[in-house]
Amino acid sequence: MATAVGTTTEHTPPDQIAALARSKPSRKARFGAVASYIGMGLIVLYCVLPFYWMVVSSLRLPTEGRSTEFIPSPISVENYGGVFAGGNNFGRSLINSLIVSGTTTVLTLVFGIVAAYALARLQFRGKPAVLWVIMACSMFPLIILIPPLLKMFSSTEPFTWFPYWVNTYQSVIIPGLSFGLPLAVWNLTAFFKQLPVELEQAAMVDGCTPGVAFRKVILPLAAPGVFTTAIIVFIGAWNEFLLALTFLTDPSKQTATVAISKFTGVTGFDTPYGTIMAAGVIVTVPLLIAVLIFQRRIVAGLTAGGVK
Amino acid sequence: MTSARPARRVLIAAASLTALLAAAACGGSSSDTPAAGGSSAPAVDLSKRGPIEYWQGKDTSGNVKNIIAAWNKDHPNEEVTLRELPDNADQQRQQMIQNTQIKDTKMAVLSVDNVWTAEFAANGYVIPLPADQFPTEDFVPATVNSGTYFNNLYAYPTSSDGGLLYYRKDLLDKYDLQPPTTFDEMKTACKTIQDGEGDSKLNCFAGQYQKYEGLTVNFAEAVNSAGGVIVDEAGKPAVNSPEAKAGLDALKGMFDDGTIPKGAITWQEEQGRQAFQDGELIFHRNWPYVYALAQKEDGSSKVAGKFDVAALPGVTGPGVSSLGGHNFSIAANAENKGTAADFIKYWASAEVQKSNALATSAAPTRAALYTDPDMVKKYPYMPILLKSIETAQPRPKAVQYGDVTLAIQDAAYGTLQGQQESDAALSGLQTKLEGLIK
Amino acid sequence: MATATAEAPVRSAPGDGRKRKKNALSDGQGRLAWILLAPTLLVIIVVAGIPVLMSIRESFFQVNSGVDPNTGLVAGGERFSGLENFTAIFSGQDNVSGSYGQMGRFINAFFNTTLITVIAVLAETILGVAMALIMAKAFKGRGIVRAGILVPWAIPTIVSALMWKLIFDEAGVANRILGSQILWLADSASSFWAVIIADVWKTAPFIGLLTLAGLQTIPAEVYEAAKVDGATAWQQFTRITLPMVRPTLVVAVLFRTLDTLRMFDLPYGMIGPGKYRVETLSIFAYLEANAGRYGPAAAYAIVLFVYVLLIAFLFVKILGADVIGDSAPKKAKKKRGDRDATTGAVPALQQMGGNH
């Protein structure tokens, strides 16, 4: 951002440039640099310290759940064993989370891409209304949906004709779509709009139908946006708690977030912090790794609007 | 206009579909229909047999599966499946109710917290148990009472709970003190011990005072031990009395003068147990489950072997414990009620109760077990616990218990935090309870 | 707004005298568009539209909770109660002691929700913009910071609530570091701040990331020209930086506001239900539904929904939040560097803030 000290606007002999580049930056610039590094350090600490605490708490002895030592001694992985203990069903719940989040993401992308195409490329009446409906859909408080959905999915009157969906994956996936779809449609519409129509027109001049032109020309270009949307939707679906808690009561069907909330220790009153933190780490680390690997893409996708 | 036709058609179709569904929604249940699974017929059909599900909160003892396995071995065609619910009592209740509303036929036996009996019975979530099939003479009367509603037994007593005073026997012996019977005696004992030990981390006493059900329990115990009641024998709220005020004031006073540490206002059962086990409390009010954990020799408890159990102290005299415990009910929508009934009787039988209590230190409901030599040998506090349960007072029976307990917590918590004066709190509570308990 | 020109018939022969659409893809657009939109709209109607209609209907009814004095059984069924569920908000029957004295439980929740939203969104915006400014200045180490910033986002909300519950425990590490004895998790003013701290922690980094993106679109020459003209750092910030990130920031703040208004997971998981200092409207509606009072619960949820819509409307009208993106295409052309507000950055905030 700040131009490197030493460049000038006049034409300077190369050796002078080299000399200038080697020269020490001014005190003010150095102070600014140091201050910004301190600032960055603070930012990293801010973001990471609570997570560090979570990891540290998971590495204590199970009986020392509420200790406040900064570094546990002894370091123990017993909590991780406790996470997968029989009653918790945690392994199964991770698989369930994967199934639910994965399906939600795929469906959201499929529905979202075609909807975004319609919104970005096609002209039709009622477009503003559609946009407003989609936007309004992302504004509901969840509690408005739960009691009626419960009646619907349990075939209670007046929905006796509706199939019995309690304790099935679709009871969480379909409502979950209603959260991710507005987001996906928005995101993807924006991306498609940025890509000029001329690209598709060029492809069509070459003989492609609009659909093929879209698939072969636009989608690959919009890949960063699609990718980012996929990750955001996936993390959102993974995060989902209330729907899963309501509709997936069977222990063999429940998702990881619900399973964590149900962890107990030895007694009924105990909040087993060690095991819960261990489970939290287990649930977060894959997301973290994925996010870190793809961070460039994510950030690029998130900020792509600004960098044309 | 014309190319808008497909658009218009879709819109119209969508609108009519929505209207149709909404109309269907409006059409339902606008008249007086009985509550879900309502059992207006007094006679219950207990003939059907087959596999059933047993619902309870998280099994922390590890012994439930053994009990069920033994049953399943003898009844291969009537298998019982355990469905564990979250350990939070509110969530258990919510899931049981929700499952009833969706008319699940597999859920058959419910482990009902004794404060939910009225709600479950009145709303028809569970059926009354025929007296001839479910005899109650051998049980501690307080536990039978907790499963009764309008003179019908809706829940068979299977486990109980009473408050106990844990105390540091080593410290009391050191200063030649006896376990206190009143709070004043306790304060005097504490002063002696704290002066003598000179340990600033050693606090006197704590119970459960965070804003949750445990606060209702501790509040009830304070009020009852001062001679007051929350609801009188006729079932009408009577909490705005000088005795109740004395009880609440005693509790507040102990916070003010430091008998109870300030942080205890955020404590539930586990925080208190932790403090006691770490040697930071001389006296501690908690449930029987703490005994086994505090006796552990693995280093987690610094007070192993150094503590003992006594009856609760009170304001004007010996304390009155609040009755805890769970009872078993038959779900109204269950298909195989015959198996459910037999399973309940099996669990409540003397053999199963004894083996379960020996394995888990759960408080049984059969009176004879409290004086059984095997039991007393393993758990020396059994006679004290029996006394605690026999004299225990149940919390108010109300169909809307959730609101009742919240109102009680509001009043107690507000007073303990100093936001309200105790008489204002109690008179407000009385008004609210009169609206809730009719 | 999409221009509603007189649309040509679906099957129009070439050389037809009527007006053509703007781009060559426009044949048969209407029907195709609706087909493509059908799955999305169907999902929305079935899982969102119908429940909302049902909730609206429910809000005009009350469950019969009277107990028969002979059998002790509840009467059951429901009765039409008109606007009673809504007017009960102001009746003063349900008084609780919150941060603002004695008042109706709904009004208490309303104030809680509003105050939490205002304070949290303000804090996370300021913090986020500060983070962005710092990150914009540095060269090396930006990768680490970028990675670090995504950590709060990757932690599931319920895990975050439990994590902060441990940190804020009365004998926990927060008190240890501060050397204090604050009862963060009691039902007191401190629990209010605990919720805000936990929420801001999770969301400020994201605003930082988006603001950074906005900052990166500002050409360096603009700053240099300003410096040459003698502008101070503060003037550069207020006259150049802020106006140029304003569009993104406004939409970001809008979505964060809407999310925080509906906050449920964090106070519920950290502090617990029934705590009037942090009870938000979402929690209150949820507890009422749990207690079987579906009518009032639906009424409160609808009021919350209307509140959210109102705030969104105000943002769009007063602050000019450009959420649709379709609107005012001409204006977008005039403002250089004013990006289409529906860029990927902004909708991410919808999801990032933790669900409804």
Side-chain angles (χ1 to χ4, degrees):
Chain A
M1 304 259 63
T3 52
V5 176
T7 55
T8 69
T9 46
E10 306 151 343
H11 184 69
T12 325
D15 45 335
Q16 236 187 344
I17 295 179
L20 281 169
R22 273 197 309 268
S23 67
K24 284 206 155 91
S26 72
R27 279 196 70 199
K28 189 162 175 231
R30 219 168 5 137
F31 177 74
V34 167
S36 73
Y37 280 120
I38 293 181
M40 298 235 291
L42 284 177
I43 294 179
V44 173
L45 280 181
Y46 167 98
C47 292
V48 167
L49 270 184
F51 181 69
Y52 168 78
W53 192 253
M54 184 159 83
V55 172
V56 150
S57 301
S58 69
L59 292 174
R60 296 189 206 282
L61 282 177
T63 48
E64 284 184 10
R66 295 171 68 236
S67 140
T68 56
E69 296 303 316
F70 293 141
I71 300 191
S73 69
I75 297 192
S76 145
V77 292
E78 259 183 75
N79 284 320
Y80 287 91
V83 168
F84 289 102
N88 285 330
N89 245 331
F90 195 63
R92 174 85 219 174
S93 70
L94 282 176
I95 298 178
N96 289 331
S97 268
L98 206 58
I99 295 178
V100 169
S101 308
T103 318
T104 309
T105 308
V106 166
L107 283 180
T108 305
L109 282 180
V110 167
F111 292 176
I113 288 179
V114 295
Y117 176 75
L119 289 170
R121 286 284 181 257
L122 305 179
Q123 296 288 83
F124 55 96
R125 268 206 174 172
K127 193 194 273 200
V130 169
L131 285 167
W132 271 108
V133 163
I134 294 182
M135 171 149 156
C137 178
S138 66
M139 290 190 196
F140 299 139
L142 190 50
I143 187 60
I144 264 192
L145 304 182
I146 298 254
L149 280 182
L150 193 58
K151 283 197 189 153
M152 203 191 278
F153 291 162
S154 66
S155 312
T156 312
E157 56 159 336
F159 292 110
T160 39
W161 45 271
F162 203 95
Y164 190 83
W165 272 7
V166 175
N167 273 322
T168 58
Y169 290 127
Q170 55 265 31
S171 66
V172 176
I173 293 177
I174 308 271
L177 285 181
S178 82
F179 305 147
L181 268 179
L183 161 71
V185 167
W186 236 275
N187 226 351
L188 296 169
T189 310
F191 269 91
F192 295 157
K193 272 214 232 169
Q194 280 168 22
L195 302 169
V197 188
E198 286 75 33
L199 291 174
E200 284 155 87
Q201 290 177 334
M204 291 198 315
V205 162
D206 285 348
C208 299
T209 67
V212 173
F214 179 74
R215 241 180 41 234
K216 298 229 163 131
V217 176
I218 298 298
L219 265 190
L221 286 177
V226 172
F227 200 81
T228 313
T229 310
I231 291 217
I232 296 175
V233 170
F234 184 82
I235 292 192
W238 187 269
N239 232 332
E240 210 295 313
F241 180 67
L242 205 49
L243 281 178
L245 184 66
T246 309
F247 294 118
L248 296 176
T249 52
D250 192 333
S252 67
K253 288 264 167 35
Q254 67 192 28
T255 56
T257 47
V258 173
I260 292 181
S261 76
K262 292 187 185 184
F263 272 21
T264 24
V266 177
T267 67
F269 301 110
D270 183 16
T271 313
Y273 282 117
T275 339
I276 290 182
M277 293 295 122
V281 171
I282 294 177
V283 158
T284 310
V285 163
L287 293 180
L288 262 183
I289 294 181
V291 160
L292 290 179
I293 292 180
F294 298 117
Q295 58 162 304
R296 282 188 183 278
R297 297 255 206 132
I298 294 176
V299 176
L302 289 170
T303 61
V307 183
K308 297 230 179 193
Chain B
M1 268 319 170
T2 39
S3 76
R5 217 188 297 136
R8 270 249 302 261
R9 268 194 248 133
V10 175
L11 262 177
I12 292 175
S16 7
L17 178 66
T18 310
L20 191 68
L21 287 167
C26 289
S29 66
S30 48
S31 54
D32 262 48
T33 47
S39 56
S40 30
V44 279
D45 177 16
L46 295 179
S47 54
K48 292 200 66 178
R49 311 191 70 86
I52 60 172
E53 275 181 6
Y54 161 55
W55 283 41
Q56 69 156 56
K58 182 98 185 164
D59 173 28
T60 53
S61 65
N63 198 42
V64 169
K65 53 186 191 317
N66 298 334
I67 302 177
I68 294 181
W71 166 279
N72 284 341
K73 211 160 77 123
D74 290 336
H75 301 83
N77 294 330
E78 302 174 41
E79 242 190 56
V80 170
T81 317
L82 171 67
R83 277 287 290 268
E84 280 179 289
L85 302 173
D87 62 336
N88 181 315
D90 242 334
Q91 287 182 334
Q92 291 170 25
R93 174 186 154 275
Q94 192 211 0
Q95 291 210 5
M96 287 182 187
I97 294 178
Q98 208 166 288
N99 221 49
T100 310
Q101 285 167 341
I102 64 176
K103 300 199 180 35
D104 179 21
T105 54
K106 299 196 303 262
M107 174 177 80
V109 177
L110 305 176
S111 175
V112 177
D113 189 320
N114 70 342
V115 290
W116 305 334
T117 310
E119 179 182 13
F120 278 30
N123 283 298
Y125 301 147
V126 298
I127 60 174
L129 303 172
D132 51 350
Q133 292 209 29
F134 290 91
T136 57
E137 306 83 39
D138 299 330
F139 294 98
V140 177
T143 63
V144 177
N145 189 18
S146 71
T148 309
Y149 180 69
F150 268 80
N151 291 324
N152 281 323
L153 186 68
Y154 282 87
Y156 210 45
T158 45
S159 77
S160 193
D161 240 347
L164 296 172
L165 182 74
Y166 293 84
Y167 67 93
R168 291 287 300 278
K169 189 158 169 39
D170 58 333
L171 292 175
L172 262 65
D173 284 346
K174 184 167 169 191
Y175 294 89
D176 249 336
L177 296 163
Q178 290 299 316
T181 52
T182 66
F183 283 135
D184 286 333
E185 282 177 28
M186 186 177 74
K187 288 189 211 180
T188 324
C190 279
K191 186 153 192 336
T192 315
I193 297 177
Q194 281 168 321
D195 287 343
E197 295 291 304
D199 181 356
S200 66
K201 288 188 79 181
L202 188 62
N203 288 306
C204 180
F205 171 74
Q208 292 78 50
Y209 309 110
Q210 171 66 291
K211 196 175 183 203
Y212 76 121
E213 184 67 24
L215 178 59
T216 308
V217 166
N218 278 252
F219 170 78
E221 287 176 352
V223 162
N224 290 331
S225 75
V229 291
I230 302 180
V231 291
D232 59 23
E233 280 129 22
K236 299 264 170 281
V239 75
N240 198 10
S241 63
E243 294 84 9
K245 178 169 158 50
L248 185 53
D249 283 341
L251 214 48
K252 172 96 172 67
M254 286 198 280
F255 267 96
D256 288 340
D257 64 18
T259 311
I260 302 179
K262 290 250 175 304
I265 196 89
T266 61
W267 286 3
Q268 300 192 349
E269 281 82 354
E270 278 298 282
Q271 285 96 325
R273 169 174 82 84
Q274 196 74 52
F276 186 72
Q277 281 185 207
D278 288 344
E280 290 169 8
L281 282 177
I282 305 175
F283 298 100
H284 182 45
R285 181 259 169 234
N286 213 324
W287 305 101
Y289 83 100
V290 168
Y291 193 89
L293 292 169
Q295 282 288 42
K296 275 195 175 171
E297 305 277 326
D298 61 358
S300 60
S301 168
K302 300 197 179 77
V303 301
K306 297 193 203 160
F307 72 96
D308 206 343
V309 159
L312 292 176
V315 176
T316 49
V320 178
S321 150
S322 188
L323 186 66
H326 284 77
N327 306 324
F328 279 19
S329 297
I330 303 182
N333 295 325
E335 192 175 347
N336 300 320
K337 295 198 173 77
T339 311
D342 283 349
F343 183 66
I344 294 179
K345 283 182 270 185
Y346 160 75
W347 192 293
S349 67
E351 303 81 42
V352 174
Q353 284 235 333
K354 180 166 174 181
S355 69
N356 191 34
L358 283 173
T360 67
S361 84
T365 48
R366 287 185 179 268
L369 286 173
Y370 283 88
T371 45
D372 183 293
D374 297 326
M375 292 281 291
V376 179
K377 189 149 148 256
K378 182 148 188 206
Y379 301 112
Y381 61 83
M382 274 292 147
I384 301 178
L385 182 56
L386 176 63
K387 188 103 187 300
S388 166
I389 292 178
E390 277 178 336
T391 56
Q393 286 268 14
R395 279 154 278 168
K397 284 194 185 185
V399 175
Q400 289 172 298
Y401 183 73
D403 296 326
V404 166
T405 186
L406 192 56
I408 297 177
Q409 291 166 30
D410 282 353
Y413 203 71
T415 310
L416 291 180
Q417 284 210 301
Q419 289 156 350
Q420 278 188 310
E421 290 300 319
S422 57
D423 26 25
L426 289 177
S427 80
L429 178 59
Q430 173 75 12
T431 316
K432 276 198 189 160
L433 289 182
E434 279 169 0
L436 288 168
I437 305 177
K438 299 222 167 61
Chain C
M1 275 313 188
T3 45
T5 52
E7 298 186 16
V10 173
R11 276 171 272 110
S12 62
D16 193 287
R18 299 197 220 182
K19 272 197 199 160
R20 283 285 186 170
K21 277 310 146 332
K22 291 195 178 124
N23 63 55
L25 297 172
S26 44
D27 286 357
Q29 285 195 357
R31 184 169 60 190
L32 176 63
W34 287 106
I35 292 178
L36 292 179
L37 285 171
T40 304
L41 290 179
L42 196 64
V43 166
I44 291 180
I45 288 179
V46 171
V47 291
I50 294 182
V52 168
L53 287 177
M54 286 186 66
S55 284
I56 294 179
R57 180 250 176 208
E58 189 67 41
S59 67
F60 296 117
F61 284 78
Q62 279 181 5
V63 171
N64 283 332
S65 58
V67 170
D68 183 323
N70 295 326
T71 59
L73 296 177
V74 169
E78 12 174 51
R79 58 181 181 86
F80 183 73
S81 63
L83 290 177
E84 222 177 278
N85 291 330
F86 293 96
T87 55
I89 291 172
F90 304 105
S91 70
Q93 277 175 345
D94 213 2
N95 279 352
V96 299
S97 235
S99 307
Y100 328 100
Q102 285 261 340
M103 56 176 54
R105 193 165 169 194
F106 180 91
I107 315 243
N108 179 61
F110 181 83
F111 278 137
N112 279 341
T113 311
T114 311
L115 271 181
I116 289 180
T117 306
V118 166
I119 297 178
V121 172
L122 207 61
E124 66 203 32
T125 310
I126 294 178
L127 262 184
V129 170
M131 283 188 194
L133 291 174
I134 294 177
M135 287 197 287
K137 287 239 189 289
F139 319 113
K140 299 191 215 169
R142 203 184 269 162
I144 300 182
V145 182
R146 206 166 43 201
I149 269 200
L150 294 173
V151 166
W153 177 53
I155 300 183
T157 318
I158 191 77
V159 174
S160 168
L162 291 169
M163 176 179 78
W164 282 102
K165 190 169 172 185
L166 181 61
I167 293 177
F168 278 132
D169 187 85
E170 176 256 330
V173 68
N175 273 343
R176 176 170 171 176
I177 292 181
L178 294 172
S180 64
Q181 271 280 311
I182 304 180
L183 303 176
W184 297 102
L185 302 179
D187 188 12
S188 64
S190 340
S191 44
F192 180 85
W193 292 107
V195 168
I196 290 190
I197 291 176
D199 184 56
V200 169
W201 174 78
K202 199 169 200 291
T203 54
F206 234 67
I207 297 203
L209 205 56
L210 297 169
T211 316
L212 179 62
L215 288 177
Q216 284 170 334
T217 65
I218 305 176
E221 294 88 48
V222 179
Y223 285 111
E224 286 190 12
K227 254 190 252 176
V228 165
D229 285 348
T232 65
W234 178 253
Q235 282 174 323
Q236 287 174 38
F237 178 65
T238 49
R239 302 276 185 85
I240 302 176
T241 315
L242 275 187
M244 298 206 88
V245 298
R246 187 173 178 272
T248 323
L249 205 53
V250 164
V251 187
V253 168
L254 165 64
F255 279 116
R256 280 305 311 146
T257 305
L258 300 185
D259 266 344
T260 318
L261 282 173
R262 294 172 294 168
M263 186 193 285
F264 177 86
D265 293 10
L266 206 49
Y268 191 80
M270 256 178 75
I271 315 285
K275 309 284 165 60
Y276 302 126
R277 299 284 174 121
V278 297
E279 188 173 74
T280 60
L281 285 170
S282 277
I283 294 180
F284 182 38
Y286 177 78
L287 292 178
E288 287 292 278
N290 250 23
R293 287 189 286 269
Y294 297 112
Y300 303 149
I302 287 171
V303 173
L304 175 59
F305 183 33
V306 168
Y307 188 26
V308 169
L309 283 179
L310 193 69
I311 301 287
F313 181 73
L314 286 176
F315 259 81
V316 170
K317 280 284 174 242
I318 297 184
L319 293 176
D322 184 19
V323 277
I324 300 289
D326 235 19
S327 54
K330 293 204 182 120
K331 266 201 237 159
K333 280 198 191 130
K334 276 194 200 148
K335 283 192 196 163
R336 265 209 65 201
D338 181 7
R339 288 169 294 121
D340 187 330
T342 60
T343 51
V346 158
L349 291 172
Q350 282 179 287
Q351 209 64 17
M352 173 266 299
N355 281 313
H356 305 229

